[in-house]
Amino acid sequence: MAGVYERLGVRTVVNAVGPATRLGGTTLDPEVLQAMAEAASACVKIDELQERAGQIIAEITGAEAGYVTSGAAAALALAAAACMTRLDPVRINQLPDVQGMPHEIIVQRTQRYDYDHALRSVGARLVEVGFPDLTFPYELERAITPLTAAIAYYPTRSRPALPLEEVVTIAHRYEVPVIVDAAVELPPTANLRAFIAAGADLVAFSGGKAIRGPQASGFLCGRADLIRAVAFNHQDMDVRPETWRYRDLIASGVVPGPPHHGIGRAMKVGKEEIVGLIVALQRFVQRDEAAELAGWRAKIQHVATALRGLPGVTVEIVDPATHQAAVPTALIALDERLLGLSAYDVLNRLQEGDPGVFLSEERAWQGVLGVNPIVLRDGDESIVADRLVAVLTEARAPATAAPERR
Ligand SMILES: *Cc1c(COP(=O)(O)O)cnc(C)c1O
């Protein structure tokens, strides 16, 4: 199974973090792999393939159009570029130099986070409004100027923000598009349509997370004119005006000619990723969500049961049914003093093995480890449970026997 990694001498990991990019995202179903292999066996025109993929994304999301990207971060970068340049080839050629074009993207301070670098990466400047935990509508409205290219929205659950509908109403009053980062808003499946239904103009999803598509895939859905601007900023532009797929736009005076390679050319997507993402997305919307949830719950329960009764260890299960989490998750609270180990020590001991076992470290600073089941293969839950029990039991060996560790 792990053949190629074995030959390369690279160990595989048991991933109880979820579809984290640093751990290889997720594993792919054989149907997706098969589709990618078939895609690799012939050449196609990428603009034609993207148009067909975009139609399928549009049908699934309820948007006007769609576009496959090399991830949600690339989708955000391309969305920002598209909102700044629209179809103007001069502007497309000019990025990341934003002089003379609208280049400000407004964000609520409560929604600042590590992925907004993707918006800035194409030259956009973020303009923050509000407090770290509160934004008033007038703050957003007054920040809109002729330099505003877009408003970015990150539907974080942990901090209060203006609701998307309210942001959309204000933005559209000034014809400013709203970009939503929905990279991790799946499950539930309904969110594939929810942000578009709420009026967002471009929505970014990750393909390599819950959708279980290729790790380096994602997509945008949204307004057709903006998606076309995404394509112009992204596609290989070693083209001639006379034969270019969109030469009718030149004839009709919409554009003076094709741009050169845009800023998105460095975020290339292969035909294998486009096809893999589309097949994974089609499978994602057809899957039995209840059965999937039940499988995840069983894996979490297996870990919780194995840890039951261990001194210094308390397990809490949070679940979407009670709106505590998007995915059933086991939260393992450690009595660090009693165990003589910090949560970080436990994480390091788990990940140093072969296979390395990786748990969520989001709340490690509070002494809490998380087990997320999304990427656990069948049987992985036993490895997680066994290694946890071993590390947590060994931790309580007599203090005199424990050497100084760091
Ligand atoms: C993972 C993630 C991204 C980036 O998605 P990729 O598909 O890995 O590029 C963007 N935003 C958020 C909130 C994410 O969690």
Side-chain angles (χ1 to χ4, degrees), residues 76-394:
L76 292 172
L78 289 167
C83 290
M84 291 192 289
T85 66
R86 305 299 175 105
L87 294 182
D88 183 346
V90 173
R91 288 182 173 180
I92 292 172
N93 296 343
Q94 189 185 309
L95 287 186
D97 174 357
V98 294
Q99 210 170 11
M101 69 179 95
H103 62 270
E104 292 183 354
I105 298 185
I106 304 173
V107 294
Q108 298 179 61
R109 195 166 264 113
T110 155
Q111 298 192 336
R112 287 301 311 270
Y113 67 127
D114 43 3
Y115 284 104
D116 58 33
H117 197 155
L119 301 168
R120 292 194 291 119
S121 70
V122 293
R125 195 168 72 79
L126 296 186
V127 174
E128 290 185 4
V129 296
F131 277 14
D133 59 351
L134 181 69
T135 315
F136 292 122
Y138 68 80
E139 294 179 284
L140 182 65
E141 182 150 9
R142 287 292 187 84
I144 297 174
T145 75
L147 283 181
T148 306
I151 296 174
Y153 195 91
Y154 172 47
T156 164
R157 289 174 197 83
S158 53
R159 286 169 292 171
L162 290 179
L164 178 59
E165 288 78 359
E166 192 162 1
V167 170
V168 165
T169 303
I170 294 169
H172 288 181
R173 205 174 286 153
Y174 301 90
E175 294 180 12
V176 169
V178 176
I179 302 169
V180 174
D181 179 357
V184 283
E185 304 308 316
L186 305 172
T189 316
N191 274 352
L192 279 171
R193 304 180 78 90
F195 306 108
I196 288 295
D201 299 275
L202 284 172
V203 183
F205 286 96
S206 188
K209 294 183 177 172
I211 291 172
R212 299 172 58 81
Q215 186 183 4
S217 74
F219 65 90
L220 279 165
C221 55
R223 253 165 58 188
D225 61 324
L226 293 174
I227 291 289
R228 174 149 288 180
V230 165
F232 282 18
N233 273 284
H234 182 249
Q235 281 175 10
D236 186 84
M237 284 294 172
D238 186 7
V239 298
R240 300 294 171 267
E242 294 81 1
T243 54
W244 186 37
R245 179 169 181 79
Y246 303 108
R247 59 189 178 277
D248 58 316
L249 294 180
I250 305 174
S252 59
V254 176
V255 296
H260 296 295
H261 293 315
I263 198 155
R265 179 62 182 77
M267 306 166 203
K268 168 170 167 172
V269 190
K271 57 194 181 304
E272 301 83 3
E273 281 78 27
I274 298 174
V275 167
L277 180 273
I278 289 300
V279 171
L281 181 60
Q282 288 172 325
R283 291 172 55 75
F284 180 73
V285 294
Q286 281 161 11
R287 84 201 187 292
D288 182 343
E289 217 172 339
E292 182 180 64
L293 262 175
W296 288 343
R297 287 189 181 119
K299 287 186 169 134
I300 291 303
Q301 200 57 56
H302 179 92
V303 176
T305 304
L307 297 180
R308 189 175 297 150
L310 277 189
V313 182
T314 317
V315 184
E316 182 197 358
I317 291 180
V318 290
D319 196 274
T322 44
H323 306 288
Q324 297 159 297
V327 173
T329 304
L331 298 176
I332 304 166
L334 305 179
D335 183 333
E336 296 176 313
R337 185 119 29 112
L338 184 76
L339 292 165
L341 278 183
S342 73
Y344 290 109
D345 293 329
V346 174
L347 287 167
N348 279 330
R349 290 191 188 184
L350 289 171
Q351 71 183 37
E352 276 155 15
D354 185 4
V357 171
F358 288 76
L359 270 49
S360 169
E361 42 190 44
E362 235 166 74
R363 289 185 53 196
W365 65 283
Q366 298 172 304
V368 178
L369 308 177
V371 176
N372 176 319
I374 294 196
V375 189
L376 290 180
R377 296 158 300 183
D378 289 342
D380 278 353
E381 69 276 18
S382 302
I383 301 176
V384 173
D386 294 351
R387 291 283 296 130
L388 262 171
V389 169
V391 169
L392 294 172
T393 315
E394 162 197 320

